[in-house]
Amino acid sequence: MSWSLSPARKFWLSGVVLTLALGWVVESGAVSQTSASMSGGPTDPKAVKTFQSALELQRRGEKSWALDEFRKAFKQDNGRCWACLSHAYQLAIGIGAYKDAEEIARQWLPLAQSDAEKASVHYGLAMSLLDQGILDTKKEKYFTESHSEFQQALALKPSLSLAQFYLGVSLAYLHQDGEARAAFRHFLNQDTSAPQLHDRAQRFLDRIDLARARMAPAFELTTLDGRHISMDGLAGKVVLIDFWATWCGPCRQALPHIRDIARKYHDQPLVVLSISLDSDDAKWRDFVGKNEMTWLQYRDGGFGGKIAKMFNVTAIPATFSIDADGVLEDQHVGDAGIEGKLKKMMARAVELQNAKPAPPPASQAPGSGN
């Protein structure tokens, strides 16, 4: 197997469509990654050996090899190993092997027994198709097929609210805007499991074209100074996200430039957010204080942190620029020339602010004589 994604495409897929994709396994009662080896595992001796080898490869981070081994174990177990497919699907999604994820989901369907399990697998199949469509928007069939699979998942399990959200995305790509809005509205009325997507769904309702854009992940976090922020809560502002660590030499070299940008444009529609991959909390806090890093700070704990994974960060320093609509403009790895791009984006943000209609005049107080 081989595949290649541009950084921007991979960012979009890992952050927007796939932010919650792996959650479908757990939500719908299917075998999760943590419990796969205890339930639905292989019984054939050869398959058991291959399965254990795959687990070790996965532990070492050799994901492509692990994916192949899980699929091999499934075949050795005569197509009965539920856990083999659970691991294989999650790995395929995680590394961007969306065609493989589709094939795995189709193999999985005959194993599903309850309506909840069937809905789970239809949802997983729909996600893999949607991902392929976003990679190749010229092939409308992916959106048509994903739309059908989301509908089947919802017919089997109407409470699967995430399917409503991504059904809306599929419909938006099919330019069925009225139906897409209905799906997002249904999601907002129904969902209680994914509040981080509520603002996103409302923005898609207001501007359906954004559902077809390369939006930044819908993350939420609490910064070092206790402020709770979300990506969609920053609408109207340009966002510069800087991934770094105290142990990263190039990051320390880039720090003065990030500090200068934060200070120079503090009164502009710009938010600078530094996300540390440090594991040592005390060392991080001490470094931030000593280096006067007064802009927004958050510690994600490593490359496996939830925000780093959303942004598919595999090397630092890495910065992401996001426009006032929340659309990803660019990804940079150690790019010192980002300031010029930010200026253009801020100018556009100001134009959008000025273009907004003025609020209606306040009612005059009674007895004012007018």
Side-chain angles (χ1 to χ4, degrees):
M1 292 181 297
S2 64
W3 49 85
S4 176
L5 299 178
S6 69
R9 284 285 192 181
K10 198 168 185 180
F11 162 80
W12 152 245
L13 288 168
S14 63
V16 182
V17 175
L18 303 180
T19 298
L20 299 172
L22 300 185
W24 67 277
V25 180
V26 178
E27 180 189 347
S28 55
V31 181
S32 70
Q33 184 170 341
T34 56
S35 64
S37 60
M38 297 184 291
S39 176
T43 56
D44 179 89
K46 289 185 178 179
V48 170
K49 185 176 180 180
T50 303
F51 185 81
Q52 293 301 321
S53 173
L55 288 174
E56 176 60 21
L57 288 167
Q58 185 177 17
R59 187 190 65 79
R60 297 205 307 256
E62 299 180 31
K63 298 178 182 179
S64 297
W65 288 106
L67 170 58
D68 288 340
E69 287 295 281
F70 281 125
R71 299 190 74 178
K72 179 180 177 181
F74 174 74
K75 292 180 180 179
Q76 291 174 332
D77 204 50
N78 296 315
R80 297 189 302 264
C81 178
W82 179 281
C84 298
L85 295 181
S86 172
H87 281 274
Y89 179 89
Q90 294 181 64
L91 282 168
I93 287 290
I95 62 179
Y98 305 118
K99 183 62 178 177
D100 291 271
E102 177 193 347
E103 293 172 358
I104 292 164
R106 294 191 187 282
Q107 289 177 308
W108 207 338
L109 274 172
L111 300 183
Q113 297 180 1
S114 69
D115 284 351
E117 289 176 352
K118 292 175 183 177
S120 167
V121 182
H122 278 296
Y123 176 66
L125 176 55
M127 291 298 293
S128 66
L129 290 164
L130 179 58
D131 301 335
Q132 291 180 76
I134 292 170
L135 277 175
D136 188 356
T137 54
K138 294 180 181 179
K139 293 188 177 180
E140 187 176 293
K141 67 171 186 175
Y142 289 123
F143 300 116
T144 301
E145 291 178 17
S146 67
H147 165 257
S148 175
E149 292 296 329
F150 282 129
Q151 286 188 317
Q152 290 188 65
L154 287 165
L156 290 163
K157 188 178 180 183
S159 62
L160 191 58
S161 57
L162 286 178
Q164 283 288 352
F165 180 88
Y166 292 119
L167 173 63
V169 174
S170 290
L171 287 165
Y173 272 101
L174 289 169
H175 293 275
Q176 298 179 27
D177 292 354
E179 292 85 349
R181 287 190 174 92
F184 292 129
R185 192 174 294 110
H186 193 148
F187 167 77
L188 286 170
N189 291 335
Q190 172 190 24
D191 181 73
T192 59
S193 63
Q196 64 270 45
L197 285 179
H198 290 191
D199 285 345
R200 179 64 51 92
Q202 185 59 56
R203 294 182 70 187
F204 288 170
L205 270 174
D206 296 337
R207 282 190 54 190
I208 199 66
D209 60 300
L210 292 179
R212 296 183 283 270
R214 199 171 66 234
M215 300 291 287
F219 66 84
E220 294 181 316
L221 54 82
T222 301
T223 60
L224 178 60
D225 58 359
R227 281 184 277 181
H228 181 78
I229 66 170
S230 66
M231 185 63 246
D232 288 285
L234 299 174
K237 296 182 179 179
V238 176
V239 181
L240 174 64
I241 300 180
D242 171 46
F243 286 90
W244 71 290
T246 60
W247 44 260
C248 166
C251 299
R252 293 196 300 271
Q253 292 175 4
L255 173 58
H257 189 219
I258 298 295
R259 185 194 296 116
D260 288 345
I261 289 175
R263 290 177 176 175
K264 187 175 181 180
Y265 302 107
H266 73 278
D267 59 347
Q268 298 294 313
L270 173 69
V271 173
V272 180
L273 170 63
S274 286
I275 298 180
S276 168
L277 302 190
D278 282 278
S279 58
D280 189 324
D281 184 73
K283 184 176 181 180
W284 166 65
R285 289 173 181 267
D286 181 66
F287 188 94
V288 168
K290 288 181 177 178
N291 287 274
E292 300 179 341
M293 300 171 68
T294 56
W295 58 98
L296 295 177
Q297 302 291 327
Y298 176 77
R299 186 178 67 86
D300 206 29
F303 288 101
K306 65 176 183 178
I307 310 298
K309 288 172 70 175
M310 282 184 177
F311 282 79
N312 195 47
V313 174
T314 58
I316 53 174
T319 55
F320 296 83
S321 52
I322 301 158
D323 76 7
D325 284 323
V327 177
L328 170 70
E329 286 293 324
D330 218 339
Q331 175 184 354
H332 323 265
V333 178
D335 183 358
I338 192 173
E339 188 171 353
K341 299 169 186 176
L342 290 175
K343 287 180 179 179
K344 294 179 181 179
M345 293 164 66
M346 285 185 283
R348 175 60 178 160
V350 171
E351 289 179 6
L352 291 174
Q353 290 177 359
N354 293 336
K356 289 182 179 179
S363 299
Q364 294 182 341
S368 63
N370 295 317

